[in-house]
Amino acid sequence: MIKMENIRKVYNTGKVEVEALRNVDLHVKRGDFLTVIGPSGSGKSTLMNIMGCLDKPTSGNYALNGLNIKDMDDNTLSELRNKEIGFVFQNFNLLPYASTYENVEMPLLFAGVSGKIRREKVTSILNKVGLSDRMHHRPNELSGGQKQRVAIARALVNSPNIILADEPTGNLDTQSGAEIMQLFVDLWKEGNTIIMITHDPRAKEYTDNFITITDGTIQA
Amino acid sequence: MAETINNIFKTLLLVKLFIRELKKERRKIFLTIAGIAWGTLTIILLLSFGQGLTTQMLRGQKGLGDNIVILYGGQTSIEYKGLPQGRRIRLMEEDCDLLKNSIPEIDRIAGEYDAWGITYKYGETVVNERVRGVSSVGYEDMRSQFPQPGGRFLNENDMLARRRVIFMGCDLKKKLMGDVDAVGKTVLLNNIPFTVVGVMQKKMQMGMYGGPDAEAAVMPASTFRGIFSDVYVDRIIYQVNDIDKSKYVNQQVRRVLARKYRYHPDDNNALNYWDVIEGSKQTRKAFTGITIFLGVIGAMTLIIASIGVANIMYITVKKRTREIGIKRAIGAKRSLIKIQFIIEALLIDLTGGFIGGAVAYTIIRLVESIPQDNADFGKNMAMQILSNPEFSWTIAISTCVILGLVGLLSGFFPARKAAAIDPIKALHYE
Ligand SMILES: Nc1ncnc2c1ncn2[C@@H]1O[C@H](COP(=O)(O)OP(=O)(O)OP(=O)(O)O)[C@@H](O)[C@H]1O
Ligand SMILES: [Mg+2]
């Protein structure tokens, strides 16, 4: 499903060049639960952004579902992000002026899904993450754990092939962190492919499939 | 194209979010909308008053006559066939037939005789005024002298039978007879009894010779000659069937009369013209110019206001960088982001436009409803010109087009900036 070969990413900030990733080879199969760990600044988010088609590598090959993203234009990448990939961020990244319902509805809107189907999908996914009674709340009226559930619902609503989560429990207290982690595990057990950056040691209780990144490279 | 329509549709679903967000910027948005409203108000009022002004001027000119040329005799300025220069040319009633028969473009033609200082007497009231003799029935249409209900203008039989009948100007009638119904009554002119056949309707008259038509009376030319024994007419009035041909017809008139009066056919001074047709064309041109000028001023105001919209759009783009990043991350295409900001600018713009339009419309209606006397043009000219604004579809549509363009323009550059934002940087923007 994900095939990376010799990925390198260089950031050019003024005169200084930062090599955020180098010699990265990675394979992820359908149904995997891959966790990514590593110290701060090691390049985990950079890798995640490339996998999520938010960013392009400086060199190397990245094939998603057998298609090389190098050859894709911005519109195609937007469509991939919309339909193939579900993003969950550490700081939730919900639209502050939109209700729970509207936040979750947004990817469907971008995909051009009709109103009736949108309503069905949003309601059922909110049911699944346990937020049916918070549909018309704004993000600032929700707890951290609830916000992250909204974000997960939004990531899932277009039935993506991969869910990418960048420290989804990083901003949560232990209790809600555990609940969110459980939610991901449930999703994985349903057959979803999940890649998660985490510092949470409990992740290892559910999967032994993890990679460690230091200094922009994957440790053996 | 289909993509654009699709995007517009999607964006409209997002408009409610935008409106919620704008509520935080209430004061700034309010000022921006007020600016656009003011610009719209200005443009509509300027155009409407300009339009009203033009119509009033043209109507005032019609009071003198509907597409007519007034012809006077002159003095020759070229020696011709042994005749000296400086010779006076005086027109005669028979010239009307001559001209009508030789120039097919002339629709109507009439000679006019003037007599001054006539004593009008009705009962005990005496008024000194002019009287005119006119030689043809087409005169009423040429000179816009239409009868009030119950009366009529002079007719063919009056002319043939030299009847002692008069058609009175409304002001003269009022002075002489007050409010009584004049038709059928007998009035003495220099002690000769005349029957009143009609009284002129009020009209707006800006151009005139001798005085306003409302203050004089007309009688058949035949009757006039019988009383005053005039040989020469004071002027000849003709109406041309095609207003674009008036210059050509004027030339023909000079040629035809040159043969009869034996002056040089190129002698410009042998005859004098007052070409009312040319005059109205010039007026129309001048006022079109004024209207365009006013429109440009209005458009400028609107463009300045639109800079305000562009400015606020730039601010929201910056403020919403993170939002743009989120939307891009969950699959919004660049084109969608772009259209979203353009539509938002248009929304501000059209809200202002709608408010400005509504206020302008109300003002125009209010001004229109001020009671006024359009016939007495001379009395309160400034007021009449100003109090007749005309709101038209042309004005409404051109204002909408300008508003739309201004909105697109003020949305386009901020939108382009928004669409170019790098999603990763935007996600980290605080
Ligand atoms: N947009 C950018 N421009 C320049 N340098 C960047 C940019 N993004 C990341 N970097 C640099 O690339 C390196 C890797 O950053 P990255 O965000 O991938 O680390 P990380 O492993 O996610 O760290 P953390 O655990 O703190 O989130 C860092 O040195 C960082 O400073
Ligand atoms: Mg990171």
Side-chain angles (χ1 to χ4, degrees), chain A residues 38-110:
Chain A
S40 183
S42 57
K44 306 183 293 295
S45 295
T46 305
L47 178 65
M48 198 65 124
N49 290 339
I50 291 173
M51 282 198 281
C53 300
L54 269 171
D55 208 353
K56 280 189 168 185
T58 311
S59 65
N61 285 314
Y62 169 31
L64 178 67
N65 292 332
L67 298 169
N68 198 326
I69 66 142
K70 215 189 250 172
D71 312 325
M72 295 177 184
D73 62 10
D74 191 78
N75 278 348
T76 320
L77 292 176
S78 299
E79 262 174 53
L80 279 181
R81 290 199 294 272
N82 185 238
K83 299 202 177 99
E84 303 291 325
I85 296 155
F87 264 110
V88 181
F89 303 93
Q90 178 175 354
N91 52 359
F92 322 120
N93 279 334
L94 300 175
L95 296 180
Y97 299 100
S99 65
T100 298
Y101 185 94
E102 288 161 343
N103 265 296
V104 176
E105 188 189 25
M106 202 136 311
L108 295 170
L109 219 52
F110 297 158

Side-chain angles (χ1 to χ4, degrees), chain A residues 130-141:
Chain A
L131 281 177
S132 306
D133 54 345
R134 294 287 187 276
M135 262 197 234
H136 303 296
H137 289 57
R138 299 275 172 81
N140 61 4
E141 298 161 347

Side-chain angles (χ1 to χ4, degrees), chain B residues 47-103:
Chain B
L47 287 176
S48 299
F49 280 93
Q51 188 61 49
L53 183 68
T54 312
T55 310
Q56 290 298 91
M57 293 308 270
L58 288 173
R59 200 196 296 168
Q61 269 180 343
K62 237 182 181 154
L64 171 61
D66 193 0
N67 291 329
I68 56 167
V69 177
I70 303 168
L71 179 69
Y72 299 88
Q75 259 184 333
T76 59
S77 60
I78 306 174
E79 259 179 64
Y80 187 62
K81 293 197 171 162
L83 294 164
Q85 69 176 68
R87 189 165 52 93
R88 231 181 132 187
I89 304 294
R90 305 183 79 181
L91 302 172
M92 297 201 279
E93 202 179 317
E94 62 190 39
D95 296 343
C96 293
D97 288 334
L98 173 67
L99 289 171
K100 179 128 174 84
N101 293 334
S102 344
I103 307 168

Side-chain angles (χ1 to χ4, degrees), chain B residues 130-423:
Chain B
R130 295 162 291 143
V131 74
R132 236 164 227 168
V134 300
S135 73
S136 152
V137 287
Y139 185 83
E140 56 180 305
D141 293 307
M142 284 196 286
R143 295 278 282 93
S144 309
Q145 294 200 19
F146 301 109
Q148 290 175 5
R152 62 169 176 85
F153 192 72
L154 310 172
N155 65 22
E156 196 88 48
N157 289 334
D158 298 333
M159 312 256 173
L160 289 174
R162 299 183 174 199
R163 282 186 187 148
R164 294 195 165 165
V165 290
I166 51 166
F167 178 80
M168 290 177 93
C170 41
D171 291 352
L172 173 61
K173 181 253 160 190
K174 190 129 197 168
K175 249 192 253 174
L176 190 64
M177 309 169 84
D179 289 329
V180 300
D181 183 4
V183 177
K185 299 278 184 325
T186 302
V187 172
L188 297 178
L189 273 75
N190 289 355
N191 283 323
I192 304 165
F194 275 78
T195 307
V196 179
V197 293
V199 178
M200 193 186 82
Q201 286 174 18
K202 275 192 169 191
K203 66 173 179 180
M204 191 156 122
Q205 181 180 0
M206 283 199 299
M208 58 189 69
Y209 46 88
D213 295 339
E215 291 175 8
V218 289
M219 66 171 77
S222 50
T223 317
F224 188 99
R225 266 185 280 116
I227 295 169
F228 300 100
S229 319
D230 284 25
V231 179
Y232 300 108
V233 292
D234 287 80
R235 67 198 71 79
I236 288 173
I237 293 168
Y238 55 86
Q239 193 176 42
V240 180
N241 63 7
D242 178 353
I243 57 166
D244 292 325
K245 283 197 181 143
S246 75
K247 273 190 179 154
Y248 163 77
V249 172
N250 295 348
Q251 259 171 22
Q252 289 300 100
V253 166
R254 198 171 60 209
R255 293 225 175 91
V256 170
L257 292 180
R259 241 172 286 141
K260 182 182 171 193
Y261 290 107
R262 292 147 143 278
Y263 58 82
H264 194 286
D266 293 334
D267 191 341
N268 280 326
N269 297 320
L271 300 174
N272 291 314
Y273 299 92
W274 180 358
D275 191 335
V276 179
I277 302 174
E278 256 328 284
S280 355
K281 276 194 208 158
Q282 298 300 336
T283 309
R284 211 179 292 260
K285 263 188 216 159
F287 281 95
T288 307
I290 290 175
T291 307
I292 291 172
F293 176 69
L294 294 176
V296 167
I297 291 179
M300 297 284 236
T301 317
L302 211 46
I303 286 169
I304 290 168
S306 82
I307 294 172
V309 179
N311 188 42
I312 201 150
M313 288 317 291
Y314 268 118
I315 293 170
T316 52
V317 167
K318 208 167 162 60
K319 279 202 172 163
R320 289 155 75 193
T321 302
R322 201 179 160 82
E323 173 199 323
I324 294 165
I326 296 169
K327 284 185 179 162
R328 295 276 285 133
I330 60 174
K333 291 177 186 170
R334 284 214 169 101
S335 50
L336 181 63
I337 302 287
K338 196 186 279 178
I339 280 177
Q340 184 193 333
F341 280 94
I342 289 177
I343 286 186
E344 289 174 2
L346 275 175
L347 197 73
I348 295 181
D349 186 69
L350 293 180
T351 309
F354 180 79
I355 294 170
V359 173
Y361 189 77
T362 315
I363 291 178
I364 290 169
R365 275 286 125 91
L366 278 176
V367 170
E368 273 176 351
S369 70
I370 298 172
Q372 52 186 292
D373 188 356
N374 274 337
D376 280 345
F377 191 73
K379 281 190 185 147
N380 206 345
M381 189 144 131
M383 192 54 207
Q384 270 163 13
I385 287 177
L386 284 178
S387 59
N388 281 289
E390 272 174 33
F391 185 69
S392 66
W393 278 110
T394 327
I395 294 175
I397 290 168
S398 38
T399 308
C400 284
V401 168
I402 295 173
L403 267 174
L405 285 178
V406 154
L408 282 180
L409 212 69
S410 54
F412 180 76
F413 295 100
R416 206 174 55 168
K417 192 181 166 191
I421 288 174
D422 176 7

